[in-house]
Amino acid sequence: MEASGSVDKAKSMFLSAWNNVKYSWVLRTKTYFKRSSPVFLLGKCYHFKYEESDSSPDSSDSGSVTNEDGFGNVEDFRKDFISRIWLTYRKEFPQLEGSTWTTDCSWGCTLRTGQMLLAQALLVHFIGRDWLWPNALDLYRPEAEFWLQKLAPTELSYDLNTQNTTSSGYQATKKDEDQKQTAFHHRKIISWFSDHPTAHFGIHQLIKLGKNSGKVAGDWYSPTVVSHLLRKAKENSTEPELQGISIYVAQDCTIYRNDVYDQQNNSDCDKSVLILVPVRLGCERTNTEYLEFLKGILSLEYCVGIIGGRPKQSYYFVGFQDDSLIYMDPHYCQSFVDVSIKDFPLKVKSPSVLAPLSCS
């Protein structure tokens, strides 16, 4: 038995080392957008062709655009996209309970996409959908070729202190305080997903809860299993600020209105309810009959995204342009970040890719 345990430990350590190397190298691909078609990102619409035109959206054919207030330019879209929380494979975090794993490379992608979806829901709940990360454009510069038709060079800058200035000292002070509170909530939300046993929605907690579903570290987790793990993690949380949110997982692709209302009103105050609907839209590939439905979901004001993709390869889908989806990719290995450190680093790389909507 001891020899067998030693072999398993050695095998796990070898796989960890190999995957850390494999997923630490990424082939950078260029992402292209069309100027002539609207882009939807988690319920917001951006139509770039109006950026260099004085004409209004109402004077031209806007295609599938339905939100008249949703038009924005290239910089608005970039700031919005980069403001989403991107969670990926990690290495060198504290050892997962009951295993020798110190990384989730090669097997934790669905856990990561589930975390990203929940993180977006928490951002909307605590900060609001219109919030933009002030440092977004300071940490990211776009590729030279962003368009199928190239844009003119644009200087990208965003200074928090110069936005919406007011002449009233009181208003300025209140705004500064609001910005501090927002920054505090932003970091706190990220800390809830840290790779540490005490984190409410960290991978250690999800793996621990997964044992009841017959899952262990190193297994691949389906979107359905991840949905229930997130629900259980929320139910087990003792964080006071999380008591105002509830997670509902639909059974057999059916949402029961009374059950949702019960979760919303089962306490002294109304709760926000995150509704997760596990559903398979095809076998090896997505059934084309669902394509317009997927686009409709991603166009909704309170949509927090879709997780899934190819078998055993999960992505976090956040928007679309024409028949291509915009997603955030968790298949990149980064080092463990200790969120207990004051002002822990918030790095931004380039997580976006356009994928044909016909892909599963």
Side-chain angles (χ1 to χ4, degrees):
M1 293 294 292
E2 292 183 1
S4 177
S6 299
V7 171
D8 291 339
K9 182 176 181 180
K11 181 180 179 181
S12 175
M13 294 177 64
F14 172 78
L15 289 175
S16 296
W18 166 249
N19 288 324
N20 287 342
V21 173
K22 178 181 178 181
Y23 292 102
S24 294
W25 296 87
V26 174
L27 178 63
R28 292 178 62 85
T29 57
K30 293 181 179 179
T31 300
Y32 297 94
F33 292 87
K34 295 179 182 178
R35 179 180 291 281
S36 59
S37 300
V39 178
F40 283 86
L41 179 66
L42 294 172
K44 284 187 174 290
C45 177
Y46 297 89
H47 210 318
F48 306 136
K49 71 179 179 180
Y50 299 111
E51 186 178 52
E52 297 176 352
S53 172
D54 293 330
S55 61
S56 66
D58 294 333
S59 64
S60 304
D61 180 16
S62 58
S64 61
V65 177
T66 58
N67 184 356
E68 294 181 358
D69 297 326
F71 289 87
N73 57 27
V74 177
E75 184 172 293
D76 291 335
F77 169 77
R78 287 181 180 140
K79 286 189 290 190
D80 192 0
F81 181 80
I82 299 167
S83 296
R84 302 314 107 207
I85 295 177
W86 181 43
L87 301 170
T88 71
Y89 289 153
R90 293 283 171 173
K91 61 182 178 179
E92 301 169 353
F93 52 64
Q95 187 171 302
L96 294 169
E97 182 181 348
S99 76
T100 58
W101 291 98
T102 58
T103 178
D104 62 315
C105 287
S106 81
W107 56 270
C109 59
T110 315
L111 293 170
R112 297 300 183 181
T113 55
Q115 287 178 325
M116 284 191 273
L117 184 146
L118 179 55
Q120 174 60 21
L122 295 175
L123 283 177
V124 173
H125 177 73
F126 288 105
I127 304 177
R129 177 62 184 90
D130 293 332
W131 172 81
L132 297 174
W133 187 28
N135 301 107
L137 296 183
D138 294 337
L139 299 178
Y140 172 76
R141 292 294 181 269
E143 297 290 341
E145 297 181 8
F146 188 71
W147 306 95
L148 293 177
Q149 299 177 356
K150 292 184 180 179
L151 288 172
T154 303
E155 180 65 26
L156 298 177
S157 62
Y158 184 77
D159 186 351
L160 181 62
N161 296 322
T162 61
Q163 301 300 310
N164 301 321
T165 56
T166 65
S167 58
S168 168
Y170 169 76
Q171 290 178 334
T173 302
K174 185 178 185 302
K175 182 184 176 185
D176 290 342
E177 185 62 30
D178 289 342
Q179 290 170 346
K180 290 179 181 179
Q181 283 295 111
T182 299
F184 171 78
H185 274 110
H186 181 220
R187 283 187 172 273
K188 192 164 190 178
I189 290 171
I190 293 175
S191 71
W192 289 337
F193 296 90
S194 67
D195 303 307
H196 191 275
T198 60
H200 299 294
F201 306 112
I203 193 168
H204 292 75
Q205 177 69 2
L206 298 180
I207 294 298
K208 181 179 179 180
L209 293 172
K211 291 181 179 180
N212 294 329
S213 301
K215 293 289 185 178
V216 296
D219 290 346
W220 186 79
Y221 293 68
S222 70
T224 300
V225 170
V226 170
S227 297
H228 286 284
L229 293 182
L230 294 175
R231 175 183 58 80
K232 293 177 182 177
K234 164 59 193 68
E235 292 174 352
N236 291 347
S237 172
T238 58
E239 175 67 42
E241 291 188 82
L242 288 172
Q243 302 313 305
I245 188 172
S246 177
I247 299 178
Y248 173 85
V249 182
Q251 298 294 327
D252 300 323
C253 307
T254 303
I255 300 173
Y256 294 95
R257 183 181 302 177
N258 290 338
D259 292 344
V260 175
Y261 286 162
D262 288 342
Q263 288 201 21
Q264 186 179 25
N265 302 296
N266 65 354
S267 62
D268 295 336
C269 59
D270 289 343
K271 288 187 176 183
S272 296
V273 181
L274 171 61
I275 300 176
L276 303 178
V277 186
V279 58
R280 187 165 184 170
L281 302 180
C283 295
E284 294 300 320
R285 300 178 66 86
T286 302
N287 189 321
T288 56
E289 293 183 1
Y290 297 112
L291 300 187
E292 291 304 315
F293 171 77
L294 289 175
K295 291 160 66 173
I297 289 292
L298 291 169
S299 303
L300 295 176
E301 179 181 2
Y302 291 104
C303 173
V304 294
I306 300 171
I307 66 172
R310 300 181 178 89
K312 296 190 177 183
Q313 194 170 21
S314 181
Y315 300 94
Y316 176 42
F317 297 97
V318 294
F320 68 92
Q321 183 181 54
D322 293 334
D323 287 338
S324 292
L325 288 177
I326 301 171
Y327 66 84
M328 302 179 75
D329 190 354
H331 303 91
Y332 178 75
C333 186
Q334 301 184 78
S335 297
F336 164 72
V337 174
D338 186 358
V339 300
S340 65
I341 300 174
K342 184 180 179 180
D343 296 329
F344 59 86
L346 298 173
K347 286 188 176 181
V348 173
K349 295 189 182 291
S350 181
S352 66
V353 181
L354 274 176
L357 196 54
S358 58
C359 291
S360 60

mmCIF file of all heavy atoms in Angstrom, residues 12 14 25 99 107-108 115 121 124 130 132 161 183 215 260 262 291 327 337-339:
data_model
loop_
_atom_site.group_PDB
_atom_site.id
_atom_site.type_symbol
_atom_site.label_atom_id
_atom_site.label_comp_id
_atom_site.label_asym_id
_atom_site.label_seq_id
_atom_site.Cartn_x
_atom_site.Cartn_y
_atom_site.Cartn_z
ATOM 1 N N SER A 12 1.439 12.247 -9.502
ATOM 2 C CA SER A 12 0.751 13.528 -9.353
ATOM 3 C C SER A 12 1.731 14.689 -9.446
ATOM 4 O O SER A 12 1.461 15.698 -10.107
ATOM 5 C CB SER A 12 0.007 13.575 -8.018
ATOM 6 O OG SER A 12 -0.573 14.834 -7.803
ATOM 7 N N PHE A 14 4.617 14.671 -10.983
ATOM 8 C CA PHE A 14 5.105 14.769 -12.359
ATOM 9 C C PHE A 14 4.081 15.478 -13.243
ATOM 10 O O PHE A 14 4.428 16.368 -14.033
ATOM 11 C CB PHE A 14 5.392 13.383 -12.918
ATOM 12 C CG PHE A 14 5.720 13.388 -14.392
ATOM 13 C CD1 PHE A 14 6.977 13.761 -14.825
ATOM 14 C CD2 PHE A 14 4.764 13.037 -15.339
ATOM 15 C CE1 PHE A 14 7.288 13.784 -16.180
ATOM 16 C CE2 PHE A 14 5.054 13.043 -16.684
ATOM 17 C CZ PHE A 14 6.323 13.421 -17.110
ATOM 18 N N TRP A 25 2.709 28.589 -21.131
ATOM 19 C CA TRP A 25 3.059 29.138 -22.436
ATOM 20 C C TRP A 25 1.788 29.225 -23.274
ATOM 21 O O TRP A 25 1.062 28.263 -23.420
ATOM 22 C CB TRP A 25 4.079 28.257 -23.151
ATOM 23 C CG TRP A 25 5.385 28.200 -22.434
ATOM 24 C CD1 TRP A 25 5.738 27.348 -21.434
ATOM 25 C CD2 TRP A 25 6.504 29.056 -22.634
ATOM 26 N NE1 TRP A 25 7.017 27.611 -20.995
ATOM 27 C CE2 TRP A 25 7.517 28.646 -21.715
ATOM 28 C CE3 TRP A 25 6.773 30.120 -23.491
ATOM 29 C CZ2 TRP A 25 8.752 29.281 -21.646
ATOM 30 C CZ3 TRP A 25 8.004 30.755 -23.421
ATOM 31 C CH2 TRP A 25 8.980 30.330 -22.505
ATOM 32 N N SER A 99 -5.041 15.325 -1.097
ATOM 33 C CA SER A 99 -4.320 15.089 -2.351
ATOM 34 C C SER A 99 -2.935 15.704 -2.259
ATOM 35 O O SER A 99 -2.568 16.315 -1.251
ATOM 36 C CB SER A 99 -5.083 15.707 -3.530
ATOM 37 O OG SER A 99 -4.919 17.122 -3.549
ATOM 38 N N TRP A 107 -7.212 20.293 -15.361
ATOM 39 C CA TRP A 107 -8.466 19.695 -14.914
ATOM 40 C C TRP A 107 -9.438 20.680 -14.256
ATOM 41 O O TRP A 107 -10.607 20.370 -14.060
ATOM 42 C CB TRP A 107 -8.190 18.564 -13.915
ATOM 43 C CG TRP A 107 -7.380 18.941 -12.706
ATOM 44 C CD1 TRP A 107 -6.020 18.895 -12.587
ATOM 45 C CD2 TRP A 107 -7.864 19.451 -11.454
ATOM 46 N NE1 TRP A 107 -5.620 19.324 -11.338
ATOM 47 C CE2 TRP A 107 -6.741 19.670 -10.617
ATOM 48 C CE3 TRP A 107 -9.137 19.721 -10.935
ATOM 49 C CZ2 TRP A 107 -6.840 20.157 -9.316
ATOM 50 C CZ3 TRP A 107 -9.243 20.216 -9.639
ATOM 51 C CH2 TRP A 107 -8.115 20.424 -8.853
ATOM 52 N N GLY A 108 -9.003 21.893 -13.932
ATOM 53 C CA GLY A 108 -9.859 22.806 -13.176
ATOM 54 C C GLY A 108 -10.528 23.895 -13.987
ATOM 55 O O GLY A 108 -11.030 24.869 -13.424
ATOM 56 N N GLN A 115 -16.269 30.108 -11.363
ATOM 57 C CA GLN A 115 -15.865 31.209 -10.483
ATOM 58 C C GLN A 115 -16.028 32.549 -11.190
ATOM 59 O O GLN A 115 -16.499 33.526 -10.588
ATOM 60 C CB GLN A 115 -14.407 31.028 -10.053
ATOM 61 C CG GLN A 115 -14.175 29.921 -9.041
ATOM 62 C CD GLN A 115 -12.695 29.778 -8.700
ATOM 63 O OE1 GLN A 115 -11.810 29.969 -9.544
ATOM 64 N NE2 GLN A 115 -12.404 29.459 -7.443
ATOM 65 N N ALA A 121 -21.553 38.006 -11.209
ATOM 66 C CA ALA A 121 -22.816 38.206 -10.496
ATOM 67 C C ALA A 121 -22.596 39.049 -9.236
ATOM 68 O O ALA A 121 -23.399 39.936 -8.915
ATOM 69 C CB ALA A 121 -23.435 36.858 -10.125
ATOM 70 N N VAL A 124 -22.080 42.732 -10.133
ATOM 71 C CA VAL A 124 -23.354 43.385 -10.425
ATOM 72 C C VAL A 124 -24.113 43.665 -9.135
ATOM 73 O O VAL A 124 -24.705 44.734 -8.958
ATOM 74 C CB VAL A 124 -24.200 42.512 -11.382
ATOM 75 C CG1 VAL A 124 -25.599 43.108 -11.558
ATOM 76 C CG2 VAL A 124 -23.521 42.373 -12.738
ATOM 77 N N ASP A 130 -22.748 48.921 -14.458
ATOM 78 C CA ASP A 130 -22.098 50.035 -15.155
ATOM 79 C C ASP A 130 -20.695 50.330 -14.638
ATOM 80 O O ASP A 130 -19.997 51.177 -15.192
ATOM 81 C CB ASP A 130 -22.954 51.305 -15.015
ATOM 82 C CG ASP A 130 -24.280 51.176 -15.750
ATOM 83 O OD1 ASP A 130 -24.340 50.421 -16.741
ATOM 84 O OD2 ASP A 130 -25.256 51.824 -15.322
ATOM 85 N N LEU A 132 -16.810 50.357 -14.070
ATOM 86 C CA LEU A 132 -15.626 50.074 -14.877
ATOM 87 C C LEU A 132 -14.395 50.205 -13.997
ATOM 88 O O LEU A 132 -14.277 51.144 -13.207
ATOM 89 C CB LEU A 132 -15.524 51.048 -16.051
ATOM 90 C CG LEU A 132 -16.665 51.001 -17.076
ATOM 91 C CD1 LEU A 132 -16.493 52.113 -18.099
ATOM 92 C CD2 LEU A 132 -16.724 49.645 -17.763
ATOM 93 N N ASN A 161 -9.101 60.460 -11.554
ATOM 94 C CA ASN A 161 -9.288 61.765 -10.933
ATOM 95 C C ASN A 161 -9.836 62.814 -11.890
ATOM 96 O O ASN A 161 -10.217 63.902 -11.476
ATOM 97 C CB ASN A 161 -7.955 62.275 -10.366
ATOM 98 C CG ASN A 161 -7.454 61.377 -9.254
ATOM 99 O OD1 ASN A 161 -8.241 60.885 -8.467
ATOM 100 N ND2 ASN A 161 -6.148 61.152 -9.215
ATOM 101 N N ALA A 183 -13.691 50.358 -4.831
ATOM 102 C CA ALA A 183 -12.400 49.667 -4.923
ATOM 103 C C ALA A 183 -12.278 48.615 -3.831
ATOM 104 O O ALA A 183 -11.747 47.515 -4.060
ATOM 105 C CB ALA A 183 -11.260 50.676 -4.823
ATOM 106 N N LYS A 215 -16.408 13.550 -6.447
ATOM 107 C CA LYS A 215 -15.325 14.182 -7.177
ATOM 108 C C LYS A 215 -14.135 14.437 -6.258
ATOM 109 O O LYS A 215 -14.306 14.705 -5.060
ATOM 110 C CB LYS A 215 -15.792 15.510 -7.774
ATOM 111 C CG LYS A 215 -16.839 15.365 -8.874
ATOM 112 C CD LYS A 215 -16.223 14.779 -10.130
ATOM 113 C CE LYS A 215 -17.205 14.751 -11.267
ATOM 114 N NZ LYS A 215 -16.583 14.212 -12.506
ATOM 115 N N VAL A 260 -38.020 30.236 -6.836
ATOM 116 C CA VAL A 260 -37.174 31.434 -6.913
ATOM 117 C C VAL A 260 -37.679 32.498 -5.956
ATOM 118 O O VAL A 260 -36.900 33.126 -5.224
ATOM 119 C CB VAL A 260 -37.139 31.979 -8.357
ATOM 120 C CG1 VAL A 260 -36.352 33.297 -8.408
ATOM 121 C CG2 VAL A 260 -36.499 30.962 -9.295
ATOM 122 N N ASP A 262 -39.354 32.025 -3.242
ATOM 123 C CA ASP A 262 -39.088 31.578 -1.881
ATOM 124 C C ASP A 262 -37.655 31.918 -1.468
ATOM 125 O O ASP A 262 -37.405 32.346 -0.327
ATOM 126 C CB ASP A 262 -39.324 30.070 -1.747
ATOM 127 C CG ASP A 262 -40.801 29.714 -1.793
ATOM 128 O OD1 ASP A 262 -41.634 30.621 -1.592
ATOM 129 O OD2 ASP A 262 -41.117 28.531 -2.047
ATOM 130 N N LEU A 291 -28.652 28.772 -31.581
ATOM 131 C CA LEU A 291 -27.730 29.898 -31.736
ATOM 132 C C LEU A 291 -28.387 31.239 -31.420
ATOM 133 O O LEU A 291 -27.825 32.061 -30.694
ATOM 134 C CB LEU A 291 -27.145 29.905 -33.158
ATOM 135 C CG LEU A 291 -26.350 28.650 -33.543
ATOM 136 C CD1 LEU A 291 -25.691 28.843 -34.894
ATOM 137 C CD2 LEU A 291 -25.310 28.310 -32.486
ATOM 138 N N TYR A 327 -15.224 35.117 -25.512
ATOM 139 C CA TYR A 327 -15.083 34.341 -24.279
ATOM 140 C C TYR A 327 -13.789 34.675 -23.557
ATOM 141 O O TYR A 327 -12.861 35.253 -24.121
ATOM 142 C CB TYR A 327 -15.155 32.839 -24.566
ATOM 143 C CG TYR A 327 -14.033 32.256 -25.397
ATOM 144 C CD1 TYR A 327 -12.837 31.870 -24.805
ATOM 145 C CD2 TYR A 327 -14.182 32.045 -26.763
ATOM 146 C CE1 TYR A 327 -11.814 31.301 -25.548
ATOM 147 C CE2 TYR A 327 -13.167 31.483 -27.521
ATOM 148 C CZ TYR A 327 -11.994 31.108 -26.915
ATOM 149 O OH TYR A 327 -10.986 30.558 -27.666
ATOM 150 N N VAL A 337 -1.478 33.883 -5.933
ATOM 151 C CA VAL A 337 -1.444 35.246 -5.406
ATOM 152 C C VAL A 337 -1.977 35.228 -3.979
ATOM 153 O O VAL A 337 -3.084 34.742 -3.726
ATOM 154 C CB VAL A 337 -2.289 36.205 -6.265
ATOM 155 C CG1 VAL A 337 -2.354 37.584 -5.618
ATOM 156 C CG2 VAL A 337 -1.719 36.311 -7.668
ATOM 157 N N ASP A 338 -1.195 35.751 -3.062
ATOM 158 C CA ASP A 338 -1.600 35.823 -1.658
ATOM 159 C C ASP A 338 -2.444 37.074 -1.446
ATOM 160 O O ASP A 338 -1.921 38.187 -1.380
ATOM 161 C CB ASP A 338 -0.362 35.850 -0.763
ATOM 162 C CG ASP A 338 -0.706 35.788 0.717
ATOM 163 O OD1 ASP A 338 -1.912 35.769 1.051
ATOM 164 O OD2 ASP A 338 0.224 35.750 1.541
ATOM 165 N N VAL A 339 -3.758 36.907 -1.337
ATOM 166 C CA VAL A 339 -4.650 38.061 -1.229
ATOM 167 C C VAL A 339 -4.685 38.640 0.183
ATOM 168 O O VAL A 339 -5.356 39.649 0.419
ATOM 169 C CB VAL A 339 -6.084 37.694 -1.671
ATOM 170 C CG1 VAL A 339 -6.100 37.214 -3.118
ATOM 171 C CG2 VAL A 339 -6.691 36.643 -0.748
#
